[in-house]
Amino acid sequence: MRSIAVIGASLAGLSAARALRAQGFSGDLTIVGAESRRPYDRPPLSKAFLAGDIDEEALALESDDEDLQANWLLGVAATDLDTAGRSVGLSDGSRVHADGFVIATGARARRWPGAENLAGVHVLRTIEDAVRLRTDLRPGARLVVIGAGFIGGEVASTARALGLDVTIVEAAPTPLLGPLGPELGAAVADLHIGNGTVLHCGVGVAGLTGTDRVTGVDLSTGGHIPADVVVVGIGGVPNIEWLRDSGLELGNGVLCDLGGATCVPHVVAVGDCSAWFDPVSGAHRRVEHWSGALERPAIAVSTLLSGGFYQGAPVKPPYFWSDQYGSRIQFAGLAHPGDEPTVEAGDLAGNSFLAVYRRAGQPVAVLGVDQVRLFTRWRRQLSKVPTPA
């Protein structure tokens, strides 16, 4: 390949561009980004940046002396992909032609239907989102967070530290039920409650109240929570609409094999917009974690440069971390319903513990709360153990 275009200029796109150069690609490299900014780090948006502890410059992912010898096209979104003609249309009317493509258009925050013009209702995905939310996080204000996932939990933690009254509404029986299961999800619930956050689990949201500005949240149980600010943290939507007529297989993301290859040999996909095949579950999965956007692009680039053939490089077990209320929550692996977690160190009541999930006697996932060193050892061990089906 003499030319490659990376469509998406966040961490996954930047990681792909770096991998291309590291793996010997010396041809023309184009990086397209819908945002006008160079790639920046998103995890601090719900923590240190939202709190005002760091500025925008601290979010930069590139060093001052980094030069990928790339043509950066920022502030323009991809509108279509012509796989036969090998070109991508852009929102400014131009087209980018290349021999190969890396799709890295990410995901956008899912918004609450009908609340687009209601002041005080926020999502958190971009720097602009964080700046707008920060102006509403005034001490004494009443914040309701819809969803107790990673974003919701981190925003709640930051807001409590800033002096807000915080309530979380979560439809599932516990926070982080999907990855952690009910027992250890309950331990995260205790962390919220112990830090003064009001938590409503197993309760849906019927709607938001207010005319010009939000005034509260109606619950599916008939209750009502007054609110000055609402943060919607109910997951992300992969940015794949522009690929509808491309011929790529789409589902909950761009469907890829074990190495990021799509059904078109000169196109791979990485990051939050991609759904790689997981041989353990036998299904395609989107992994929306920072570590995946950092590590998987190197595998996908190897696949692309080899003509679409997976080279057998191992995909590490999914890993995420979340800083909430001064505690570090770390999780690696994939736990299925029925996998038994056992506490190996610390205790749940003390909010400092390490738990290992096992399936057929084999460790398949590990959760640590303020157990960084022990967690790191278990994570390394997890990467060496074949995951049972």
Side-chain angles (χ1 to χ4, degrees), residues 105-338:
T105 44
R108 61 189 181 277
R110 192 183 303 275
R111 297 181 180 271
W112 193 262
E116 294 82 2
N117 298 317
L118 196 59
V121 179
H122 299 267
V123 295
L124 184 55
R125 182 76 185 182
T126 67
I127 287 178
E128 287 81 6
D129 292 336
V131 170
R132 284 191 290 266
L133 175 57
R134 186 196 293 168
T135 62
D136 272 351
L137 296 185
R138 302 179 304 275
R142 300 165 298 180
L143 168 67
V144 174
V145 178
I146 303 174
F150 311 116
I151 294 295
E154 290 170 0
V155 169
S157 169
T158 300
R160 284 295 297 149
L162 292 174
L164 279 79
D165 294 326
V166 180
T167 299
I168 298 178
V169 181
E170 168 58 52
T174 70
L176 299 174
L177 177 68
L180 305 189
E183 180 181 353
L184 298 183
V188 176
D190 291 340
L191 185 63
H192 285 295
I193 295 168
N195 283 276
T197 295
V198 178
L199 185 62
H200 296 279
C201 287
V203 179
V205 172
L208 308 182
T209 60
T211 303
D212 297 319
R213 184 176 182 87
V214 69
T215 59
V217 175
D218 286 333
L219 304 180
S220 58
T221 56
H224 177 80
I225 305 173
D228 304 303
V229 189
V230 170
V231 172
V232 180
I234 54 176
V237 180
N239 293 320
I240 59 173
E241 291 85 358
W242 66 284
L243 295 168
R244 292 297 179 199
D245 298 322
S246 66
L248 298 184
E249 293 183 60
L250 306 178
N252 182 24
V254 181
L255 303 189
C256 303
D257 69 4
L258 293 166
T262 69
C263 60
V264 177
H266 58 272
V267 180
V268 297
V270 297
D272 292 357
C273 71
S274 66
W276 287 27
F277 182 74
D278 172 30
V280 176
S281 64
H284 290 85
R285 301 178 61 95
R286 282 201 308 125
V287 176
E288 298 181 86
H289 303 313
W290 187 92
S291 58
L294 181 70
E295 298 166 353
R296 291 192 175 197
I299 297 173
V301 161
S302 176
T303 299
L304 178 65
L305 295 178
S306 68
F309 296 100
Y310 175 48
Q311 298 298 293
V315 177
K316 293 181 180 179
Y319 164 68
F320 70 80
W321 79 94
S322 181
D323 295 322
Q324 300 181 26
Y325 307 105
S327 293
R328 168 146 292 199
I329 302 169
Q330 296 173 284
F331 186 86
L334 284 171
H336 294 173

